[in-house]
Amino acid sequence: MNYGQFLNMIPEATLVAILIILFIADFALSNNEKKLPILRYLGISLMALQIIPCMMTGPSTAFDGLYFTTGAVSAMKVILTGGTAVVLIMAQPWLEKNKLYAGEFYMLVVSTLLGMYTMMSSGHFLMFFLGLEMASVPMACLVAMDKWKKESAEAGAKYIITATFSSAIMLYGISFIYGATGTLYFNDVAAQLTTSTMTIAGLVFFFSGLGFKLSLVPFHFWTADTYQGAPTVVTGYLSVVSKGAAAFALYAILIKVFAPMLHYWQYLLFIVIVLSITVANLFAIRQHELKRFMAFSSISQAGYIMLAVVGNSAMGVTALMFYTLVYVVANLAVFAVINVIEQKNGGVTEMDAYNGLYETNPKLSFLMTLALFSLAGIPPFAGMFSKFFVFMAAVNGHTLDNPVGVWAYVVVFIALINTVVSLYYYLLIVKAMYIKKSDKPIPAFESDDSTKLALAICTAGVVLFGICSCVYSWLSSSSIGALL
C-alpha cells in the first residue's frame, strides 16, 4: 500500500487531528474550572481553521478510486464546516447552563462531520456506508445528550432504531447492486449496470435508506419527535449540516452510479419531491411547538433541495450547493433565536409563548423575521434566489414533448404553489411576534456574546447572499439583453 495517498485526504486528516487535540485537551483539563471556556475557544477556532484545508484541496483520487474529491466536493465541505462552526458558537449558552461535558459534545460533533466528509468523498459503496454510520452513531449520542430530560433519551432511541432499520434496507439494496454487477466501485458499477428487476430493487432500497437521512416523505416519521426531544443546538445541526451532506451524496451517486437508470430514479424523485413538499407544508400549519414546526419545515426544504437533482445537469449541483448554503445560514439563525429564548426563559419552545416578543425583544424578533422570510423565499433575501435556482435546474434540459419533461414542469408548478403555503405558515410566527398580544410576554433580556456572533454571521449570510444573487441575476439578464 502506498501510504502517501493519505496526503490526498487532507481535510479528513486535519479533522482527525482536531478530534485528537480536543480529546487530549478534554483529558488534560478534566479538573480545571476554566475547562469550558478553553474548550470553547479551542473548538471554535480549530473548526474555523478547518475551512482552509477544505478550500485548498484540489481534485484527486486515492486507493484505486475508493476515495475521491472534486471542486464541488471541496466546496460542499467548506459549507458544512462553516455551518458546524456556527453550531459550536451557538451551543455555548446551552453548554454553560446545563453543565454538560463540553469535550464530549465537541468530539461527537467532529466525529459526525468526519463521517459526512467520508460520505461525500466515497467512490465505493462500502466506503459510503462506513461514512454514513460514522455520521449516524455520534448523531444519536448528540440527540440523547440532554441527560436530565426524558424527551432527549426518547428522541435518541427513536433516531437510532430508525437509523438501524434504514441502514439495513440500504445494505440490502447495495447487495442487489453487487449481485447484478459484481463490484461496489462507483465507476465500475456505472459501466456494468443494466436495467433489470434486481437493479431496480437495489436502486429503490438504496434510495429508501438515504431518504431517511434526508427526512423525505414517506421516510420522515422519526423527524418531528427527534427534533422536539433533542437539544435545540443539536436539532439545528441535524436539520442543516447532516441534511446537506446527505443531499449532496445522494445527488452524486444518482448522477454518477445510476446514470443508466436515469428515467427510473427521475420518476421516483418526482413522486417523493411532491409528497415531501406537500405533506410537510400541510402538517407544519398544524404545529404549535416550534421545534416540531421546524421539523416539518426541514422536510419541505429537503424536497426543494432534491429539485436540483431532477434536471440531471451541471446547473443542478450548483443550485443544490447554493440552496444548502442559504438554508444553513437561514435555518441556523432561526434555531439560534429559539435556543437563546429557551435557555433564558425556562425551556420555552411553544409558538404561543412568542406572542408579543417584538415589544420586549425587538432585535431578536427582527432577526427571526429576516431568517423566516429567507426560508419562505421572499425577495430580496437569499432564499428567494435559492428556490429560483433549483426551479431552473429542475426544468433545465427538459421540454414538453416528452413525458419526463412534462412531469418536471408539473413538479416545479406544484412546488411553486407550495411556496405560497409555506409563506403562510412562516408568517404565523411573524404574526405571533408582532401582532398577537400576551399578558405575560417573554421578558426583555440581553443575549450572550456567542448568540450575538452566531446571529450576526447568519444574518449577514441571509442578506449578503441575497444581494449577490440579485446583482448576478441582473448582470446575467443585462448580458443576455446585450447579446439579443
Side-chain angles (χ1 to χ4, degrees):
M1 178 186 292
N2 181 10
Y3 291 99
Q5 295 182 86
F6 282 107
L7 295 176
N8 295 329
M9 304 173 63
I10 296 298
E12 287 76 14
T14 53
L15 206 56
V16 170
I18 291 174
L19 187 59
I20 295 173
I21 292 171
L22 290 173
F23 176 79
I24 294 174
D26 184 43
F27 180 77
L29 298 170
S30 57
N31 296 319
N32 193 326
E33 294 181 357
K34 297 182 179 180
K35 173 181 176 178
L36 182 57
I38 293 174
L39 286 177
R40 174 180 63 189
Y41 292 121
L42 184 62
I44 294 172
S45 300
L46 290 175
M47 191 55 61
L49 291 174
Q50 173 64 18
I51 295 175
I52 297 175
C54 294
M55 295 177 64
M56 296 177 64
T57 304
S60 62
T61 59
F63 307 108
D64 297 323
L66 197 69
Y67 172 93
F68 78 96
T69 187
T70 62
V73 173
S74 297
M76 197 65 187
K77 288 178 180 178
V78 170
I79 295 172
L80 300 183
T81 305
T84 303
V86 175
V87 170
L88 294 184
I89 294 171
M90 60 184 278
Q92 301 315 307
W94 171 64
L95 291 172
E96 291 174 359
K97 183 174 181 178
N98 293 281
K99 305 299 181 183
L100 295 173
Y101 294 104
E104 293 179 1
F105 175 77
Y106 290 128
M107 286 185 282
L108 287 171
V109 169
V110 174
S111 300
T112 305
L113 187 62
L114 179 61
M116 296 175 195
Y117 276 17
T118 306
M119 284 171 55
M120 295 187 293
S121 291
S122 298
H124 189 280
F125 273 109
L126 290 185
M127 181 81 167
F128 171 82
F129 182 75
L130 176 64
L132 181 67
E133 292 304 294
M134 287 171 61
S136 298
V137 175
M139 185 64 75
C141 298
L142 286 170
V143 170
M145 199 170 183
D146 211 340
K147 305 170 186 177
W148 294 276
K149 292 184 179 179
K150 65 177 183 179
E151 293 85 358
S152 183
E154 180 183 347
K158 289 180 179 178
Y159 180 85
I160 197 63
I161 291 172
T162 314
T164 301
F165 281 107
S166 67
S167 297
I169 292 173
M170 178 182 290
L171 277 179
Y172 192 46
I174 291 173
S175 69
F176 278 15
I177 295 168
Y178 179 76
T181 61
T183 182
L184 291 175
Y185 283 93
F186 289 170
N187 291 334
D188 295 339
V189 170
Q192 301 182 38
L193 197 65
T194 58
T195 302
S196 65
T197 303
M198 181 175 288
T199 56
I200 293 173
L203 169 63
V204 172
F205 286 132
F206 176 81
F207 181 87
S208 300
L210 205 51
F212 158 80
K213 291 292 292 182
L214 281 163
S215 305
L216 295 171
V217 176
F219 318 108
H220 68 291
F221 293 102
W222 62 275
T223 311
D225 290 338
T226 300
Y227 277 37
Q228 182 180 9
T232 301
V233 291
V234 176
T235 303
Y237 182 66
L238 181 62
S239 69
V240 293
V241 181
S242 177
K243 197 177 296 295
F248 185 87
L250 178 59
Y251 176 90
I253 292 175
L254 289 178
I255 297 297
K256 189 173 184 178
V257 180
F258 292 105
M261 304 175 66
L262 174 65
H263 290 292
Y264 289 92
W265 60 256
Q266 278 187 326
Y267 282 114
L268 180 62
L269 275 178
F270 290 151
I271 296 171
V272 170
I273 287 171
V274 170
L275 287 177
S276 298
I277 296 175
T278 306
V279 171
N281 283 346
L282 293 177
F283 275 84
I285 296 174
R286 303 180 57 189
Q287 303 307 311
H288 301 286
E289 205 274 342
L290 274 182
K291 289 163 71 175
R292 294 185 70 89
F293 174 91
M294 294 303 297
F296 287 104
S297 167
S298 72
I299 296 170
S300 175
Q301 299 291 345
Y304 283 107
I305 292 175
M306 285 294 99
L307 277 172
V309 185
V310 172
N312 186 31
S313 64
M315 183 187 294
V317 67
T318 305
L320 185 149
M321 291 169 61
F322 183 73
Y323 197 103
T324 303
L325 176 62
V326 173
Y327 179 58
V328 165
V329 293
N331 217 47
L332 286 182
V334 173
F335 276 106
V337 176
I338 295 174
N339 179 59
V340 70
I341 291 178
E342 181 182 18
Q343 300 306 319
K344 297 287 186 180
N345 294 279
V348 173
T349 56
E350 294 294 327
M351 190 181 298
D352 289 342
Y354 284 66
N355 293 348
L357 181 65
Y358 179 76
E359 296 179 359
T360 56
N361 295 275
K363 294 180 181 179
L364 281 180
S365 301
F366 178 71
L367 296 180
M368 181 85 149
T369 302
L370 293 184
L372 291 171
F373 281 178
S374 182
L375 289 174
I378 296 177
F381 303 106
M384 189 276 285
F385 295 98
S386 64
K387 282 187 169 59
F388 174 76
F389 292 150
V390 295
F391 291 158
M392 292 296 295
V395 299
N396 184 50
H398 290 300
T399 58
L400 295 175
D401 57 358
N402 65 82
V404 175
V406 172
W407 274 105
Y409 278 92
V410 169
V411 170
V412 170
F413 178 72
I414 295 173
L416 281 169
I417 295 175
N418 274 279
T419 302
V420 179
V421 179
S422 66
L423 173 61
Y424 168 75
Y425 65 72
Y426 285 125
L427 287 176
L428 291 177
I429 303 178
V430 178
K431 178 183 177 182
M433 294 188 298
Y434 286 87
I435 299 176
K436 286 188 175 181
K437 303 297 182 182
S438 174
D439 296 333
K440 295 181 179 180
I442 294 174
F445 61 87
E446 182 72 16
S447 300
D448 58 278
D449 293 338
S450 297
T451 300
K452 289 179 180 178
L453 178 58
L455 283 172
I457 295 171
C458 294
T459 305
V462 168
V463 176
L464 292 178
F465 293 150
I467 294 173
C468 293
S469 302
C470 184
V471 172
Y472 173 78
S473 301
W474 179 78
L475 289 176
S476 300
S477 62
S478 300
S479 301
I480 294 172
L483 290 174
L484 294 176

